[in-house]
Amino acid sequence: MMIQAAVVRSFDTAPKYEAIDIPQPTGKHEVVGEVLAAGLHMRVRAQANGSHYTSTDELPLIPGIDGVGRLPGGQLVYFVAPDTPLGTFAERTVIDVRRSVPLPAGADPILIAAGMNPALSAWVSLRRRVQIQPGQKVLVLGATGNSGQMAVQIAKLLGASEVIGAGRDQARLESLPALGADKIVSLAGDPEAAAERLGEVASEVDIVLDYLWGKPAELAMVPLLTKRSDRSQALTWIQIGSVAGQTAAIPSAALRSANFQLLGSGQGSVTAAGYLAEFPALMEAIAAGSIRVNATSLPLSEVETAWQATLADSSRRIVFVP
């Protein structure tokens, strides 16, 4: 039996919609399930072009790292794909039931598929890498992207007394107060001037959720720390994304002159069990509308054209419906 799927045969080209053999489970906890919705996340793009740090360079592959599916018995679940080249951009895929959780009653599969991956980065960071305390202040560096917009909402939802959003896109920056941001800082223009603005506005934060890294992070560390009223007050910097650069030169003064802790949050620094434990509460928040999700659904058959057309728009999340 054949099914339709998006298939990557070269890391240099977009996936193509084609027929493949129906996948077969190989483990006792695996079943073949129907895919109802699967999100086109930044992590999926990195998977499909071979640039993600977990890439094995194995081709061909079906992209997609998570989705909403229907198990053979009819139950709807959110699931994470096994660590194989068989992803979720297909009519059917292999689901490891140990990596799945039931959808809340009445939850919209499109919103769950769109929201879980980008929301997990901030959610897991604030609950697993640090445990945010009510009243703490949070800076979201890169708050104008899809994940950053969710991070603003999640920080407030989890008890932050003040959330500061920083980014380059002015229109999206101005939309952040409606999502819960108390202050916004533009990173447009001269990078050193932008870092100084951050230092003036965000020097008293307790946690930085960094989706940028690269030069913006490198330049911001010292102004944020040296302008603090009390340098012994802990600042935890959580590195999540690297859209502004894979590396940053960390000033030695940042580590010596203040109570500064640098952590990463992602696949490997948090266990699979740790992620799985956070799925139900985050899904409930999305299903209840406590976290706003900007989702657009498209037929999976349009994957090749949509792949390029949506590349520049990080404010919404594309969900493919097989």
Side-chain angles (χ1 to χ4, degrees), residues 163-238:
V163 179
I164 301 169
R168 293 178 59 86
D169 188 299
Q170 189 61 35
R172 294 180 194 169
L173 199 61
E174 291 173 358
S175 73
L176 293 180
L179 299 178
D182 300 283
K183 298 175 183 176
I184 56 175
V185 180
S186 173
L187 300 181
D190 178 70
E192 293 189 1
E196 286 298 316
R197 287 195 294 273
L198 270 178
E200 293 293 338
V201 176
S203 62
E204 301 302 325
V205 299
D206 303 286
I207 300 168
V208 176
L209 298 178
D210 178 12
Y211 290 90
L212 299 181
W213 202 233
K215 207 67 177 177
E218 177 182 320
L219 292 173
M221 288 180 186
V222 170
L224 280 172
L225 291 166
T226 56
K227 295 180 185 296
R228 292 172 83 74
S229 58
D230 178 5
R231 293 193 193 182
S232 68
Q233 176 190 346
L235 173 62
T236 302
W237 190 294
I238 307 178

Side-chain angles (χ1 to χ4, degrees), residues 258-269:
N259 186 357
F260 180 58
Q261 179 179 215
L262 178 61
L263 302 174
S265 184
Q267 191 174 342
S269 60

Side-chain angles (χ1 to χ4, degrees), residues 45-273:
R45 290 188 183 277
Q47 174 196 35
N49 65 28
S51 65
H52 195 263
Y53 64 86
T54 63
S55 176
T56 63
D57 295 332
E58 187 176 352
L59 290 174
L61 68 83
I62 297 172
I65 59 171
D66 67 348
V68 173
R70 180 181 286 112
L71 299 180
Q75 186 177 45
L76 300 187
V77 296
Y78 169 75
F79 68 100
V80 176
D83 297 321
T84 71
L86 187 62
T88 59
F89 284 14
E91 291 177 320
R92 294 181 178 274
T93 193
V94 171
I95 299 175
D96 185 332
V97 295
R98 297 170 300 177
R99 295 161 66 103
S100 69
V101 291
L103 253 64
D108 183 344
I110 300 296
L111 293 183
I112 297 297
M116 284 294 287
N117 176 267
L120 270 169
S121 61
W123 185 276
V124 169
S125 294
L126 294 174
R127 286 168 61 97
R128 291 278 164 172
R129 296 302 280 149
V130 294
Q131 292 185 334
I132 186 172
Q133 301 300 309
Q136 287 189 311
K137 300 177 182 180
V138 177
L139 165 64
V140 180
L141 194 58
T144 52
N146 190 269
S147 295
Q149 290 172 332
M150 289 191 174
V152 168
Q153 300 176 68
I154 288 166
K156 257 310 172 55
L157 184 64
L158 295 181
S161 64
E162 182 175 82
V163 179
I164 301 169
R168 293 178 59 86
D169 188 299
Q170 189 61 35
R172 294 180 194 169
L173 199 61
E174 291 173 358
S175 73
L176 293 180
L179 299 178
D182 300 283
K183 298 175 183 176
I184 56 175
V185 180
S186 173
L187 300 181
D190 178 70
E192 293 189 1
E196 286 298 316
R197 287 195 294 273
L198 270 178
E200 293 293 338
V201 176
S203 62
E204 301 302 325
V205 299
D206 303 286
I207 300 168
V208 176
L209 298 178
D210 178 12
Y211 290 90
L212 299 181
W213 202 233
K215 207 67 177 177
E218 177 182 320
L219 292 173
M221 288 180 186
V222 170
L224 280 172
L225 291 166
T226 56
K227 295 180 185 296
R228 292 172 83 74
S229 58
D230 178 5
R231 293 193 193 182
S232 68
Q233 176 190 346
L235 173 62
T236 302
W237 190 294
I238 307 178
Q239 204 286 310
I240 301 172
S242 52
V243 296
Q246 295 293 324
T247 60
I250 300 172
S252 61
L255 298 174
R256 295 199 310 265
S257 64
N259 186 357
F260 180 58
Q261 179 179 215
L262 178 61
L263 302 174
S265 184
Q267 191 174 342
S269 60
V270 179
T271 66

